[in-house]
Amino acid sequence: MTRSSASTGMPRPHTPLSRSRTGHEALLLRLLREHGPLTRGELGTLSGLSRTTLYDVVGALTDNGTVLASVPGAVRRKRGRPAEVLALNPEAGQMLGIEFAPRAVRVAAMDAAHEVVGTAGEPHGPDTPWQARVDVAWRLADRLTGGALRSGALSGIGVGVVGPVASPERGLLGAPGYNTVSALVRERFGAQTLIDNNTRLAALAETIWGAAAGEQNVLYLRLSHGVGGGLVVAGTLHRGAHGVSGEFGHISVDPEGAPCACGGTGCLETVASVGAVLEAYRIAGGAAADVPELMAALESGDRAAHTVLARTGAHVGRVLADVCHAVGPDVIVLGGELVDAGPALMEPIERKLDTTVVRGACRPLRVRPAGLGDSGSALGAVALLRQHMNHRVPGLQGTARAPLV
């Protein structure tokens, strides 16, 4: 597969005039995605743009390789000036999403038509250096795009990292390695990056392609080696003023509980993370080295395993109920490895919600397992980048722009 060398960088800061031009470009690209190849006349009718504006914008899109103009053979043979047909160039405008999780790198690729090309992932050790992780991301992305990386066809890269991420303009670059990974990705891929928290990005992806597709108010919680989440409010990904929105794992459920890595005590993460659940099962007399072994114990009817998951579900349900009272979601989506426990975890969560959430609030409340699996954060990174390219990024410090680094 070959790729055009056009569209290699992110847009520069916009003047009012260029913002108008960009909006027109986004409109025409959307029409070509929805309707397929169109003539200029058909584009003019569908877009409502003046002839001068239409030709100006189409000229820019064909000049940079995003749109291809051609004359069909049957039309070429007729008398008179043939009508050109405009179509998206599938070889240009490639977008990548990369998640740098604690123990894996995951990549998603999207073409100029905003179709997801595919996803891929590769595990690694928790102490793997950043340079090696970026090299893994390159290898996965190169495989997904069929060599597009070497032809400079990338429009940009969305990146998901662990920890709080706030706007560089505010000087709040909270995620560990934020500046390091930004520099390494830019150097390796030759494209600017758009960075956000990986779990929050998974919440965005679930509202577009996953379990909450089409919903406007979504609460997402991931129960993995860490515990975190994200909020989509009125269709908008919520980051918070300081980039810490969605840190549900650090809501205390037991003031007398275990110390948490955040400095708190008895946080949800100390009882509902993978490590905490496995340790609780060991204390209860069980033996499971990892989640698959714990799932096997559940399936065999192990009473200790069911008791531990029931207790975990009650803690999770309590935190979710508190958040529901604050934000009133339509849907709760649960992701992460522990969700594989199925009813052993989901039913205690739902029972706690049913008995704790105030009558009339958040009703009917729907709880669903995540639909995108391990690919959610990488897909969310692509989604955020796509929104940025269309200049419709919501909720980022009250602006229409996302942090570019």
Side-chain angles (χ1 to χ4, degrees), residues 222-248:
R222 175 185 282 173
L223 303 172
S224 184
H225 294 280
V227 176
L231 289 172
V232 174
V233 181
T236 296
L237 182 63
H238 182 65
R239 300 175 83 242
H242 305 292
V244 295
S245 174
E247 294 290 340
F248 308 132

Side-chain angles (χ1 to χ4, degrees), residues 144-280:
L144 283 175
T145 61
L149 304 183
R150 296 184 176 86
S151 64
L154 287 180
S155 293
I157 302 173
V159 176
V161 293
V162 176
V165 177
S167 170
E169 290 83 356
R170 299 178 66 94
L172 299 168
L173 311 183
Y178 184 113
N179 294 318
T180 299
V181 69
S182 298
L184 289 174
V185 170
R186 286 200 312 273
E187 180 180 355
R188 189 73 170 91
F189 288 82
Q192 288 182 294
T193 59
L194 184 66
I195 295 186
D196 210 314
N197 171 267
N198 62 333
T199 309
R200 197 156 52 215
L201 291 174
L204 177 62
E206 289 290 341
T207 67
I208 298 174
W209 297 291
E215 300 288 352
Q216 291 292 297
N217 299 287
V218 178
L219 167 57
Y220 175 84
L221 180 69
R222 175 185 282 173
L223 303 172
S224 184
H225 294 280
V227 176
L231 289 172
V232 174
V233 181
T236 296
L237 182 63
H238 182 65
R239 300 175 83 242
H242 305 292
V244 295
S245 174
E247 294 290 340
F248 308 132
H250 299 296
I251 297 175
S252 180
V253 295
D254 181 5
E256 304 299 323
C260 181
C262 73
T265 300
C267 295
L268 181 63
E269 188 165 294
T270 67
V271 295
S273 64
V274 167
V277 171
L278 292 176
E279 175 64 12

Side-chain angles (χ1 to χ4, degrees), residues 323-358:
V323 179
C324 284
H325 287 141
V327 301
D330 296 314
V331 177
I332 295 174
V333 177
L334 298 178
E337 295 93 324
L338 289 180
V339 177
D340 290 343
L345 179 69
M346 298 291 281
E347 289 179 359
I349 292 174
E350 292 171 341
R351 282 197 300 270
K352 179 59 71 172
L353 286 168
D354 189 55
T355 58
T356 306
V357 174
V358 174

Side-chain angles (χ1 to χ4, degrees), residues 305-386:
H306 282 272
T307 299
V308 167
L309 266 297
R311 188 183 308 122
T312 301
H315 286 306
V316 171
R318 174 182 167 185
V319 168
L320 290 175
D322 289 344
V323 179
C324 284
H325 287 141
V327 301
D330 296 314
V331 177
I332 295 174
V333 177
L334 298 178
E337 295 93 324
L338 289 180
V339 177
D340 290 343
L345 179 69
M346 298 291 281
E347 289 179 359
I349 292 174
E350 292 171 341
R351 282 197 300 270
K352 179 59 71 172
L353 286 168
D354 189 55
T355 58
T356 306
V357 174
V358 174
R359 294 288 175 181
C362 310
R363 299 296 180 94
L365 187 59
R366 292 163 287 168
V367 182
R368 301 172 182 168
L372 299 175
D374 291 342
S375 301
S377 294
L379 287 167
V382 171
L384 190 68
L385 181 65
R386 181 182 69 178

Side-chain angles (χ1 to χ4, degrees), residues 277-290:
V277 171
L278 292 176
E279 175 64 12
Y281 180 50
R282 185 193 65 78
I283 293 173
D290 52 26

